[in-house]
Each structure stands twice: as structure tokens, then as C-alpha cells.
Amino acid sequence: MLKSVDPLLTGDLLAILRDMGHGDEIVVVDGNFPAASVAQRLVRLPGIAADRAAEAILSLLPLDDFVDQPAAAMASPDGRPEIYDDFDRVLAAAHGAPVSMQEIDRFAFYDRAKTAYAVVATGERRLYANLILKKGVIRT
């Protein structure tokens, strides 16, 4: 255990967050997502909800404020999924202000996830609970 570090953040995940550079993306995905097929680097958080994993990651990861939409979610053909409200809450709390979240078609999301620095596979059971986060910079 470390002071002020969310206990959900494993050593592997901490190393990934440390090694990511400005503009790199990390993807938090639900239990249905083909994570092993698309990930360059894969971290598993079984039994953890996607919004909780995003909250832990965002406790350390600055969002990119050089782009209009530093977060993107997989679009649902059935309208806005309920998990988006949770994503909005977590993003705003971490960023200190509301964050514009882009919605991306499922197959475009898969393609973008393939180019991401890492994928975090959660145990999330809610559908369309997939989120891309773009790393920003730390200002002194």
C-alpha cells in the first residue's frame, strides 16, 4: 500500500501510467470487449466496474487539455448508455470541470483501441462501458 495512491492501481498499471507520454491513450473496457485481441499492453482488473477503474486511473492521469475531447466512449445504437453518466461524473471530478466525451462507433472504437498505449480490461457487465482517455501534461 502507498499513501495517496488508489489501491486499485496495480504495479503493472502504475508502470504503464508512468511510461505513457503526452497524447498517449489508455482504454478502459467492459467484460465483453475483445481486450486480449486488441491490446498492445493489457492489464486485467477482474470484478471491478469500468467507472471505478477510470476513477483510479484518473486519480493520477492528467487529461489532455490541448484537445477538445480528451475522452471517448463506445457509442450504443440504442441511445446513451447509463454508464455515460458515471463516466461524466468521474471525468469531471478528476479534471475539475466537465469534460466533453466523444462517442465513437463500435468498430472505429476497436480500431482506435488497437493503437492505444494500453488496455485495462475490467469485470464491468454493463454494455458499452468502454472509455478511451488521452494523457495530458503536468504543469508546474
Side-chain angles (χ1 to χ4, degrees):
M1 299 293 286
L2 298 170
K3 291 168 59 174
S4 303
V5 174
D6 192 306
L8 217 62
L9 299 173
T10 65
D12 290 340
L13 187 48
L14 285 169
I16 284 169
L17 294 173
R18 177 200 62 216
D19 292 345
M20 289 174 66
H22 179 219
D24 281 340
E25 295 182 327
I26 189 166
V27 187
V28 178
V29 299
D30 63 33
N32 290 302
F33 192 87
S37 297
V38 303
Q40 294 183 43
R41 294 162 193 85
L42 178 61
V43 175
R44 294 189 182 278
L45 296 177
I48 304 301
D51 56 324
R52 178 64 183 96
E55 179 181 41
I57 291 166
L58 288 166
S59 72
L60 298 179
L61 183 87
L63 288 173
D64 193 345
D65 58 4
F66 288 93
V67 298
D68 292 332
Q69 295 177 308
M74 182 184 286
S76 167
D78 301 324
R80 183 179 163 92
E82 289 181 28
I83 185 99
Y84 282 20
D85 292 337
D86 295 323
F87 287 158
D88 286 340
R89 175 186 48 77
V90 168
L91 288 162
H95 193 61
V99 174
S100 179
M101 186 172 62
Q102 179 183 15
E103 291 185 39
I104 302 174
D105 167 76
R106 185 176 111 201
F107 295 106
F109 192 99
Y110 290 155
D111 289 341
R112 190 160 161 191
K114 288 177 185 175
T115 66
Y117 190 83
V119 174
V120 178
T122 70
E124 179 64 65
R125 297 185 60 126
R126 290 174 284 183
L127 300 178
Y128 297 97
N130 304 299
L131 181 66
I132 298 172
L133 303 169
K134 184 180 287 289
K135 187 175 184 179
V137 298
I138 303 288
R139 291 187 165 78
T140 55

